[in-house]
Amino acid sequence: MKAPPVDDQMMADPQTGLIFARVLNGRGGATALGWEAARHWMPHDPQETLWMHVDRSVDCVDDWLQSELGLSEATAEALTADETRPRAFREGDALVAVLRGINFNPNAEPEDMVSLRMWARGNRVLTLRRRPLQSPREIAAMLDRGNGPKRTGDLVTEIIEHLVTKIGSTIVDMNEKIDELEDGPGDYDTDDVLTIIATIRRNCLALKRHMSPQHEALLQISRDPPEWLNENNSRDIRETIDRLKRYLEDLDVSKESALVLQDDINNRAANMANHRVYLLTIAAGIFLPLSFVTALLGVNLGGIPGMNDPNGFWILTGILCAMTALQLIIFRILKWI
């Protein structure tokens, strides 16, 4: 049976929660199955692996996990709970992992990460999500093209690598934005730049909050791998752990760079404001004595010097210009200007 094309808007069956099911043929390809066929699937070849991707928000999923797959209540709760931090543990020869991936859904922020739950044992892999996630769709598309993972261990490793790789691309995008802001504000004004920086810092904190426990979860998988994870899979997972560690370090650098940039912009704005106030103070200092003299001569009382002199205005103007020049010389000597 030829698999239907993987659509980014693929919806879950509201009755069963199944989003898609694929049987890996051990050669990089896969065959699509419906719900009933997947429920009763039995391998015809030792190299076959059944992968079911399910929406965990559908009510019947929790009962199905316990009644048909035989999972313990604690494991079923870990796979369906709304809020839980990334972690991984063994249950016999099964691997249970709660991981996080970048949220690329419309109108979503990257730090609003999507949880992906995974249960794998022998020749079966089950992944569960509540909100759409790109990585399972992309891997399913690879299988449909015939160049996907071949066995259970390969599939688990591929899922982990996809999640971590997309985290890395998000961090790279944030670093590029910081570099762009450091090179120059461009078309942004100060308020826009500060808003962007605040968003980057918030993203860094949120990613760090999820990625630190995810790093520990992957370390747990590496320390206690099930038998169906071969040496190549273990090596790839170790490489992914190392990459994730570098990403965590990059997050710290990005957060510090954003903080330094924010402080620099705030300092520049404060210096600019102080400079403007300083210029206004100098202007006030220049015009204060001039205002005093003109106000004194404008009281319209008898005895004002030059009141009857036809050249009085020009004499006063000359005196005021001389006072202004003298003030400017004094300010210059004092290095105020």
Side-chain angles (χ1 to χ4, degrees):
M1 176 180 178
K2 184 178 180 180
V6 179
D7 185 359
D8 281 351
Q9 304 300 323
M10 184 179 291
M11 303 297 293
D13 186 326
Q15 300 299 321
T16 64
L18 181 68
I19 302 171
F20 64 77
R22 298 287 189 272
V23 176
L24 283 63
N25 58 21
R27 299 183 298 277
T31 302
L33 293 183
W35 170 251
E36 289 299 327
R39 284 180 60 191
H40 304 291
W41 177 83
M42 295 295 294
H44 300 291
D45 188 309
Q47 293 189 352
E48 289 184 344
T49 296
L50 173 65
W51 176 26
M52 299 177 67
H53 189 48
V54 176
D55 185 344
R56 61 183 173 87
S57 63
V58 177
D59 294 335
C60 65
V61 170
D62 185 68
D63 293 336
W64 172 71
L65 292 175
Q66 297 185 55
S67 62
E68 296 199 19
L69 289 187
L71 304 185
S72 65
E73 183 178 354
T75 300
E77 182 178 356
L79 293 175
T80 57
D82 287 335
E83 296 295 335
T84 185
R85 68 198 303 268
R87 60 190 178 117
F89 59 90
R90 287 276 304 277
E91 187 178 60
D93 62 342
L95 172 66
V96 181
V98 179
L99 305 174
R100 292 272 181 169
I102 296 295
N103 190 350
F104 289 107
N105 294 311
N107 302 320
E109 295 294 334
E111 78 274 9
D112 184 21
M113 303 188 74
V114 179
S115 176
L116 179 71
R117 319 297 171 88
M118 179 167 56
W119 175 88
R121 182 180 66 187
N123 54 6
R124 292 178 183 268
V125 176
L126 173 67
T127 53
L128 305 97
R129 59 82 166 162
R130 183 168 62 88
R131 289 177 292 176
L133 191 62
Q134 280 189 358
S135 294
R137 296 195 298 263
E138 292 177 356
I139 297 172
M142 291 169 56
L143 289 168
D144 296 340
R145 293 192 299 267
N147 59 351
K150 299 177 181 180
R151 302 295 301 276
T152 302
D154 300 333
L155 176 58
V156 171
T157 303
E158 191 73 31
I159 292 172
I160 293 173
E161 288 181 345
H162 262 70
L163 294 176
V164 173
T165 298
K166 291 187 180 299
I167 293 168
S169 64
T170 299
I171 296 174
V172 169
D173 290 342
M174 287 194 300
N175 289 337
E176 290 178 350
K177 176 59 71 174
I178 292 175
D179 292 340
E180 177 185 336
L181 295 176
E182 288 178 339
D183 292 339
D187 297 332
Y188 302 107
D189 60 24
T190 301
D191 290 338
D192 290 339
V193 173
L194 292 177
T195 300
I196 294 172
I197 293 173
T199 301
I200 291 174
R201 292 183 62 190
R202 185 170 59 251
N203 290 348
C204 288
L205 291 173
L207 289 173
K208 185 70 177 290
R209 179 167 59 91
H210 292 301
M211 289 304 98
S212 293
Q214 183 138 314
H215 181 259
E216 295 299 322
L218 297 184
L219 283 175
Q220 179 61 35
I221 296 175
S222 178
R223 284 193 294 261
D224 187 23
E227 294 181 357
W228 42 264
L229 275 178
N230 59 39
E231 182 58 34
N232 289 335
N233 300 145
S234 298
R235 183 185 64 249
D236 291 341
I237 290 176
R238 288 194 297 269
E239 290 295 324
T240 303
I241 292 172
D242 185 64
R243 275 194 294 137
L244 183 55
K245 184 178 180 180
R246 293 199 304 270
Y247 294 155
L248 288 171
E249 295 170 352
D250 289 343
L251 278 176
D252 291 333
V253 173
S254 299
K255 183 174 62 176
E256 293 300 324
S257 298
L259 182 60
V260 170
L261 182 59
Q262 185 178 30
D263 289 342
D264 182 55
I265 292 175
N266 287 333
N267 290 336
R268 289 182 185 180
N271 289 336
M272 185 177 296
N274 291 336
H275 182 66
R276 290 169 179 170
V277 172
Y278 177 75
L279 292 178
L280 290 175
T281 303
I282 293 296
I286 292 174
F287 286 100
L288 182 62
L290 304 181
S291 299
F292 173 76
V293 173
T294 54
L296 184 63
L297 297 178
V299 295
N300 294 324
L301 295 177
I304 296 177
M307 183 175 60
N308 297 318
D309 189 340
N311 297 318
F313 171 78
W314 299 110
I315 294 173
L316 177 62
T317 301
I319 293 174
L320 294 179
C321 290
M323 289 177 60
T324 302
L326 179 62
Q327 284 182 290
L328 292 174
I329 293 172
I330 294 174
F331 288 171
R332 187 68 176 176
I333 293 173
L334 296 176
K335 295 183 179 180
W336 290 0
I337 58 176

